[in-house]
């Protein structure tokens, strides 16, 4: 049996690092090179330099490939791409193809995508990832994967120790992967909010953020230390040539999903509501090129400290 042809669409701050790791794996194992496309194809130059094959559009990737990865910004983009794939099926069968979406989308979007593709004989795997862009570049993401077991088994070799350090098996229901990812982001955003409030408290009272940073590292370990560092280093408002670790616009989208799902199920997320309000105001103040940790900037502003800390390199 000939080796599978793999395809990729979506070369943002997360997608490019992931696709590069996948292409390196394919090249090292003598497998066909990755076919890829993106809304702005020039963003894939590093991938082309690594041996990837650029394609003009998503439809071309679908036609050429057996397994197609997507890593895109929101639900609407995924729906548009799959509409294009389904249109392609009128001239080229989708039967047997596997579509893997690594994005963060609403559970209903995952379920709808799976249903539409199944009707054409294709398979959908929901595989959202945990980790920011440096983790993606290092190939250390955590994948939460849901879909038919045979399809998940088929794509596993291209993920484990290639793009990710581990896979969480979420079973067949693709909604579950999306729910876990959104729940995980509830934690991330809530950590950012609480850490921001604590750092503002430390600065206003004279305790100082350096002492608090050291305490967080010693008491809560490297994960919360890294989140705290995004605040204290000024990385919540990165310079124009540095991509945000978790872009504010994407965080707002995810929090909107979380709040909507919570309301549908009769519960509330007050910390997320506070963080969303602060992050929206941060985007108004600093524009779109900011990190989700920019809730800190708004918390500072509310306390009379000013949005920008001394360590910010962009004002």
């Amino acid at each position: 049996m000939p080796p599978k042809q793999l395809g990729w669409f979506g070369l943002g701050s997360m997608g490019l690092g992931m696709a590069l790791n996948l292409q390196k794996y394919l090249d090292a194992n003598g497998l066909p090179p990755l076919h890829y496309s993106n809304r702005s194809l020039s963003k894939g130059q590093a991938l082309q330099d690594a041996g990837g094959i650029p394609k003009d559009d998503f439809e071309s990737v679908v036609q050429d490939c057996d397994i197609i990865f997507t890593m895109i910004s929101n639900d609407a983009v995924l729906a548009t791409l799959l509409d294009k794939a389904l249109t392609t099926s009128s001239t080229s069968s989708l039967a047997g193809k596997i579509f893997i979406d690594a994005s963060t989308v609403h559970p209903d979007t995952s379920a709808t995508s799976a249903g539409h593709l199944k009707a054409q004989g294709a398979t959908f795997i929901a595989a959202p990832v945990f980790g920011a862009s440096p983790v993606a570049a290092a190939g250390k993401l955590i994948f939460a994967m849901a879909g038919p077991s045979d399809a998940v088994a088929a794509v596993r070799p291209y993920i484990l120790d290639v793009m990710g350090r581990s896979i969480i098996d979420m079973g067949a229901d693709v909604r579950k992967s999306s729910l876990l990812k959104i729940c995980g982001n509830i934690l991330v955003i809530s950590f950012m909010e609480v850490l921001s409030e604590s750092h503002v408290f430390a600065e206003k009272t004279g305790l100082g953020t350096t002492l608090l940073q050291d305490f967080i590292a010693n008491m809560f370990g490297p994960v919360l230390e890294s989140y705290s560092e995004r605040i204290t280093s000024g990385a919540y408002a990165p310079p124009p040539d540095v991509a945000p670790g978790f872009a504010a616009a994407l965080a707002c989208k995810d929090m909107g999903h979380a709040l909507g799902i919570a309301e549908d199920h009769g519960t509330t997320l007050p910390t997320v509501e506070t963080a969303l309000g602060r992050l929206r105001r941060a985007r108004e103040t600093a524009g779109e090129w900011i990190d989700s940790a920019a809730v800190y900037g708004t918390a500072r502003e509310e306390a009379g400290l000013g949005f920008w800390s001394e360590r910010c390199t962009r004002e």
Side-chain angles (χ1 to χ4, degrees):
M1 180 180 296
K4 300 292 186 183
Q5 177 62 62
L6 272 61
W8 191 281
F9 188 94
L11 299 174
S13 60
M14 293 287 291
L16 180 58
M18 295 168 71
L20 279 168
N21 285 327
L22 181 55
Q23 169 55 30
K24 290 174 184 176
Y25 169 82
L26 297 174
D27 184 61
N29 288 275
L31 298 170
L34 187 68
H35 289 198
Y36 71 89
S37 191
N38 191 58
R39 185 175 60 179
S40 175
L41 202 54
S42 62
K43 289 187 175 181
Q45 187 59 55
L47 188 54
Q48 185 175 4
D49 292 345
I53 307 298
K55 293 293 179 178
D56 289 336
D57 49 39
F58 182 66
E59 297 94 315
S60 299
V61 173
V62 172
Q63 288 177 338
D64 292 349
C65 298
D66 306 297
I67 299 173
I68 302 103
F69 289 85
T70 51
M71 183 59 173
I72 43 78
S73 58
N74 59 53
D75 302 55
V77 175
L78 179 61
T80 298
L81 290 177
L82 293 186
D83 281 346
K84 291 179 179 179
L86 294 167
T87 300
T88 300
S89 69
S90 63
T91 57
S92 177
S93 174
L94 296 183
K97 294 182 185 289
I98 300 174
F99 291 77
I100 309 157
D101 183 53
S103 319
T104 304
V105 297
H106 195 285
D108 290 348
T109 301
S110 292
T112 299
S113 301
H116 288 166
L117 288 170
K118 184 177 181 180
Q120 297 296 323
T123 301
F124 179 81
I125 295 174
V129 297
F130 294 93
S133 51
V135 182
K140 300 297 184 181
L141 295 166
I142 298 172
F143 283 71
M145 297 184 64
S149 58
D150 55 343
V152 171
V155 303
R156 187 181 181 91
Y158 305 114
I159 293 175
L160 195 59
D161 297 326
V162 178
M163 294 184 284
R165 70 176 186 264
S166 64
I167 294 172
I168 304 172
D169 183 358
M170 301 299 297
D173 184 355
V174 294
R175 293 176 183 268
K176 293 293 180 67
S177 283
S178 297
L179 281 171
L180 181 63
K181 173 58 176 175
I182 290 169
C183 196
N185 281 355
I186 290 171
L187 291 170
V188 170
I189 295 300
S190 297
F191 290 151
M192 288 297 185
E193 173 62 32
V194 173
L195 287 168
S196 294
E197 293 176 5
S198 298
H199 277 296
V200 169
F201 177 87
E203 188 162 358
K204 291 289 288 188
T205 60
L207 173 65
T209 59
T210 299
L211 284 174
L212 179 58
Q213 174 79 13
D214 291 343
F215 169 76
I216 290 168
N218 288 324
M219 183 70 182
F220 300 110
V223 173
L224 289 191
E225 180 186 12
S226 69
Y227 291 157
S228 180
E229 178 68 20
R230 281 159 67 182
I231 291 167
T232 58
S233 68
Y236 67 91
D241 59 339
V242 177
F246 181 15
L250 297 181
C252 286
K253 178 260 297 181
D254 294 350
M255 285 187 281
H257 285 335
L259 291 169
I261 293 168
E263 182 178 5
D264 289 343
H265 289 78
T267 189
T268 60
L269 299 168
T271 303
V272 171
E273 290 175 356
T274 300
L276 179 57
R278 282 179 166 163
L279 197 52
R280 284 172 173 166
R281 293 195 295 278
R283 292 167 70 188
E284 293 171 0
T285 299
E288 294 299 330
W289 199 253
I290 55 172
D291 187 80
S292 57
V295 292
Y296 174 61
T298 304
R300 283 176 54 85
E301 203 166 41
E302 291 172 357
L305 294 171
F307 184 87
W308 311 95
S309 74
E310 292 181 357
R311 298 191 67 181
C312 287
T313 57
R314 175 171 64 94
E315 295 190 22

